[in-house]
Amino acid sequence: MRGRRGDRMTINIQEHMAINVCPGPIRPIRQISDYFPRLGPEGGRGAGAAATSSLTPLALSPGAGIRGTGASEEGAEVDSYDSDDTTALGTLEFDLLYDQATCTLHCSILRAKGLKPMDFNGLADPYVKLHLLPGACKANKLKTKTQRNTLNPVWNEDLMYRGITDEDITRKVLRISVCDEDKLSHNEFIGETRVPLRRLKPSQKKHFNICLERQVPLASPSSMTAALRGISCYLKELERAEQGQGLLEERGRILLRLTYSSQRQGLLVGIVRCAHLAAMDVNGYSDPYVKTYLRPDVEKKSKHKTSVKKKTLNPEFNEEFFYEMELPGLATKTLEVTVWDYDIGKSNDFIGGVSLGPNSRGEALKHWRDCLRQPDVTLERWHTLTSELPPAAASFSA
């Protein structure tokens, strides 16, 4: 806009709003109440409110204010989202407990409040799904019952993951999603939350009361095209594959029991159970069974096979096999354990395997060595099944 010298410049409201802006990146605002003082139970300001209210909007990180600080309540650590009852998607309350001794993760789904209406009657038929990431979704999915015609469902259900190791706690994330069941069409997504398992302490229950969020999008810059995002994801997967054997695709877990019997002069191998196996059939399940070999096996007489468990990803076998061999000779052997999906009329599908012997790594090597060093002691441990097919197993898929 131009004018004569000495004349007062006039700027319309549109130009004023375009000029009077704060420079710098604009970050998403998660919740407006993050910028105001919060009142604690006694009417005063909460401990976390003073720190939050002192921040300017641009100083807040994208995850700030999503989850409050943990507080001890009746021996359980509490992680709550301090907000009002009228959130867009609703809140979910649940407990998590990692039992290090039994390698189990206990998930207690308690209740939800103020869920988003999904049906024409202004209500919903909600249920909760659990997934462990990264991992095959069908293999490790757990699900609660459906509560009908309510926006404030109460489940009080305990769901459990078996075969959870300390390594899983450091790198896996529990995805908890709330969905609306619809018998006439596909089920609808309401909201979700994701909890890194590293936030849990062994044998200490942690209580959560958090707001549900919309589905988390692909972690790529929004300015990327779909093709560039695809190339980016491909390069990341290629990089992981080139980093070595430790990052093979996980296909489930198996609980093995080893005992060297000095009285019987041989190795007792117990196949206890498997957990969240990869699904190999079109119905989303598998018909798994387990085979064991003691390699090298020149005479091909070391094969043992469990019974087949139909239509399950979490089979329980409780079967035991015996290999007669003196302890010095066993030190040069390798126990090969593979899990297969039984199919009628065609070759069986390989699900996953693990090898325990002098050339193994990590927990498999430790389990094998402990068994040889401690005769007559029963050692029961979980092992990760990987997608790598042992060379000798390829010709023994029957």
Side-chain angles (χ1 to χ4, degrees), residues 218-225 228-229 232 236:
L218 182 66
S220 300
S222 58
S223 58
M224 278 188 176
T225 63
L228 287 177
R229 283 197 297 269
S232 175
K236 288 180 181 178

Side-chain angles (χ1 to χ4, degrees), residues 192-244:
E192 71 170 33
T193 184
R194 301 193 181 195
V195 180
L197 296 186
R198 63 177 178 270
R199 301 176 62 185
L200 304 180
K201 298 178 182 178
S203 303
Q204 181 176 338
K205 182 185 291 186
K206 191 175 179 67
H207 183 73
F208 295 83
N209 187 12
I210 359 185
C211 278
L212 296 173
E213 301 175 1
R214 291 174 176 83
Q215 203 156 8
V216 178
L218 182 66
S220 300
S222 58
S223 58
M224 278 188 176
T225 63
L228 287 177
R229 283 197 297 269
I231 293 173
S232 175
C233 292
Y234 168 76
L235 292 177
K236 288 180 181 178
E237 291 297 326
L238 186 62
E239 181 182 359
R240 291 192 189 103
E242 292 174 349
Q243 284 179 356

Side-chain angles (χ1 to χ4, degrees), residues 321-343:
F321 308 127
F322 180 73
Y323 291 100
E324 185 177 355
M325 183 169 294
E326 295 183 355
L327 191 59
L330 191 61
T332 62
K333 297 286 187 177
T334 296
L335 179 65
E336 178 187 288
V337 182
T338 53
V339 184
W340 300 80
D341 170 55
Y342 177 76
D343 286 319

